[in-house]
């Protein structure tokens, strides 16, 4: 089951002479080049069965949250009836209560399901799927209130949903995508940017995965945003890049006081990712952190002297930009490998037994078996943030000495 590279003629037929792709494509290639080839080159498809797939639910979640967020963005517009996906309604996060959040979200859910009725007939197809529909409503209701509660505690405000980004890597390659939510905080001539990506399963940024090409998306978006103009005559600054979980976390009721039950859920649904190591940014995301010492919105905590703890997920401006530059470089390298026709069967393996083969639809095609000579996983070692930053700084210094920067 050893495969040869695709010829240049066939590469053009499969991908075209120029390649414009979403960030997920180089991530998919980094996961396994052969899987990428089948997914985006051959494009086989399975027989369609009337059932609710995980991605169907994810799309419903995404559309409802997007519609709800537009109600918040409408608050900052002079024309509340502008064509932004909502009627003459808006949400003031500083004033709205939980009951009205639920009413707005219920309206958003009804509109999304009605608009996509033909695609969502499976929701009424069985009693199990009717239960799933009710679960969707429960999860989205919690997600809406979590979002509003997070925004209540800071000064960052949603500015855009589905914000389009496009970054040219070279003459043949460009990366494009859409940011689920872009929050801003204006400070004199600077505008600080938070990128928020919605996930229907728990996800966090792992820097060793980023360096392996498996998690490029949020940092590539940030890199692209810093090169564009969000607000006229304002310089874009890094705020943070985060995942927002749409989830219903399990809380051990036996070991949790009734009064703190909701607080524990809120903490479990905190934003996951990396924030800029700057107290101005941190306090404008969570205005209570100086009193609480540990944020339940972002993954940071303070020592008694006011500095960040070792476990806080933060990068200073120089470190953040080192990571962004490296991510751009990794995306370019992976994209070049795609254009060279590389399609080898080379899945990764990490965290003992985690591998893309576990949920791959093409196992019977590639017939990968690590017990067979020549079939080997590409092992990804978990490396600490400090080690990664140290390596990036050394690389940057070497490039500076050679005059490459």
């Amino acid at each position: 089951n050893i495969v040869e590279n695709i010829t240049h003629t066939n590469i053009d037929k499969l991908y075209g002479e120029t390649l414009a792709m979403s960030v997920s494509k180089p991530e998919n290639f980094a996961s396994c080049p052969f899987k990428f080839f089948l997914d985006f080159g051959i494009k086989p498809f399975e027989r369609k069965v009337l059932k609710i797939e995980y991605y169907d639910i994810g799309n419903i979640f995404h559309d409802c949250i997007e519609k709800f967020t537009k109600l918040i963005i409408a608050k900052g517009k002079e024309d509340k009836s502008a064509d932004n996906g909502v009627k003459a309604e808006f949400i003031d996060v500083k004033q709205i209560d939980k009951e009205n959040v639920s009413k707005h979200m219920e309206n958003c859910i009804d509109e999304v399901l009605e608009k996509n009725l033909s695609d969502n007939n499976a929701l009424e197809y069985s009693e199990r799927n009717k239960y799933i529909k009710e679960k969707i409503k429960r999860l989205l209701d919690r997600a809406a209130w979590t979002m509003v509660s997070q925004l209540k505690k800071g000064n960052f405000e949603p500015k855009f949903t589905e914000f389009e980004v496009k970054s040219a890597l070279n003459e043949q390659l460009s990366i494009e995508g859409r940011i689920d939510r872009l929050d801003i905080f204006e400070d004199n001539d600077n505008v600080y940017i938070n990128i928020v990506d919605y996930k229907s399963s728990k996800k966090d940024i792992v820097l060793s995965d980023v360096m392996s090409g498996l998690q490029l998306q949020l940092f590539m978006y940030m890199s692209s945003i810093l090169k564009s103009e969000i607000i006229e005559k304002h310089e874009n600054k890094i705020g943070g890049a985060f995942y927002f979980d749409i989830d219903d976390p399990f809380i051990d009721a036996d070991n949790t006081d009734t009064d703190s039950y909701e607080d524990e859920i809120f903490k479990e649904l905190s934003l996951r990712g990396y924030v800029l190591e700057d107290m101005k940014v941190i306090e404008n995301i969570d205005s209570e952190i100086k009193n609480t010492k540990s944020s339940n919105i972002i993954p940071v905590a303070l020592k008694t002297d006011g500095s960040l703890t070792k476990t806080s997920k933060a990068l200073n401006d120089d470190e953040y930009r080192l990571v962004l530059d490296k991510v751009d470089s990794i995306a370019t390298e992976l994209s070049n490998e795609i254009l060279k026709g590389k399609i080898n069967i080379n899945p990764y393996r990490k965290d003992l037994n985690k591998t893309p083969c576990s949920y791959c639809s093409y196992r019977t095609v590639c017939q990968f078996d690590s017990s067979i000579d020549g079939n080997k996983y590409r092992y990804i070692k978990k490396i600490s943030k400090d080690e990664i930053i140290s390596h990036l700084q050394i690389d940057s210094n070497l490039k500076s000495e050679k005059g490459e920067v």
Side-chain angles (χ1 to χ4, degrees), residues 192-205:
Y192 290 89
I193 308 292
N194 280 349
I195 289 172
V196 181
D197 190 61
Y198 303 131
K199 291 296 176 187
S200 50
S201 59
K202 187 172 288 187
K203 189 168 184 176
D204 200 353
I205 295 178

Side-chain angles (χ1 to χ4, degrees), residues 102-240:
S102 295
K103 288 179 181 178
H104 279 294
M105 177 48 82
E106 187 173 354
N107 290 337
C108 291
I109 294 169
D110 289 342
E111 288 178 26
V112 168
L113 292 182
E114 182 179 356
K115 184 178 179 181
N116 300 284
L117 189 60
S118 60
D119 294 330
N120 292 303
N121 282 338
L123 286 171
E124 304 291 351
Y125 191 66
S126 68
E127 291 302 319
R128 173 182 175 275
N129 290 346
K130 288 179 182 178
Y131 162 76
I132 292 175
K133 184 177 179 179
E134 291 305 312
K135 183 179 180 181
I136 287 171
K137 289 186 175 182
R138 186 178 75 250
L139 289 176
L140 286 170
D141 186 56
R142 184 173 294 285
W145 179 241
T146 298
M147 181 198 299
V148 167
S149 299
Q150 289 173 348
L151 293 170
K152 280 178 182 287
K153 295 177 69 174
N155 294 310
F156 276 82
E157 298 179 347
K159 182 69 174 177
F160 300 103
T161 63
E162 292 295 293
F163 186 83
E164 292 188 18
V165 293
K166 189 168 185 176
S167 178
L169 301 178
N170 56 43
E171 291 182 357
Q172 283 185 292
L173 302 167
S174 64
I175 297 292
E176 54 191 32
R178 292 174 181 268
I179 299 171
D180 287 346
R181 193 178 100 212
L182 197 151
D183 296 353
I184 66 166
F185 165 64
E186 295 181 56
D187 179 52
N188 298 321
D189 293 332
N190 297 320
V191 55
Y192 290 89
I193 308 292
N194 280 349
I195 289 172
V196 181
D197 190 61
Y198 303 131
K199 291 296 176 187
S200 50
S201 59
K202 187 172 288 187
K203 189 168 184 176
D204 200 353
I205 295 178
V206 180
L207 283 184
S208 52
D209 287 354
V210 174
M211 296 299 111
S212 299
L214 300 178
Q215 241 184 339
L216 303 174
Q217 184 184 35
L218 297 191
F219 287 130
M220 285 207 70
Y221 286 164
M222 182 63 77
S223 180
S224 179
I225 285 291
L226 293 179
K227 300 167 189 171
S228 61
E229 186 178 68
I230 301 301
I231 297 180
E232 188 177 356
K233 297 180 180 179
H234 282 64
E235 182 180 356
N236 293 342
K237 298 283 189 178
I238 299 167

Side-chain angles (χ1 to χ4, degrees), residues 224-275:
S224 179
I225 285 291
L226 293 179
K227 300 167 189 171
S228 61
E229 186 178 68
I230 301 301
I231 297 180
E232 188 177 356
K233 297 180 180 179
H234 282 64
E235 182 180 356
N236 293 342
K237 298 283 189 178
I238 299 167
F242 307 104
Y243 291 115
F244 178 98
D245 296 335
I246 303 172
D247 196 10
D248 196 8
F250 173 79
I251 303 296
D252 188 353
D254 293 336
N255 296 312
T256 305
D257 295 334
T258 304
D259 294 339
S260 60
Y261 183 77
E262 286 296 322
D263 292 338
E264 286 298 314
I265 292 177
F266 184 71
K267 188 175 181 179
E268 281 293 312
L269 294 175
S270 62
L271 299 172
R272 303 174 191 274
Y274 275 89
V275 68

Side-chain angles (χ1 to χ4, degrees), residues 7 41 53 59 104 115 125 229 262 276 296 315 373 404:
T7 64
E53 297 286 3
N59 289 338
H104 279 294
K115 184 178 179 181
Y125 191 66
E229 186 178 68
E262 286 296 322
L276 184 71
N296 58 2
L315 297 164
D373 187 38
E404 295 179 11

Side-chain angles (χ1 to χ4, degrees), residues 74-84 86-89:
K75 167 67 172 64
K77 294 190 175 184
E78 293 182 7
D79 181 8
K80 301 299 189 302
S81 62
D83 183 19
N84 64 345
V86 296
K87 299 176 182 178
E89 301 177 18

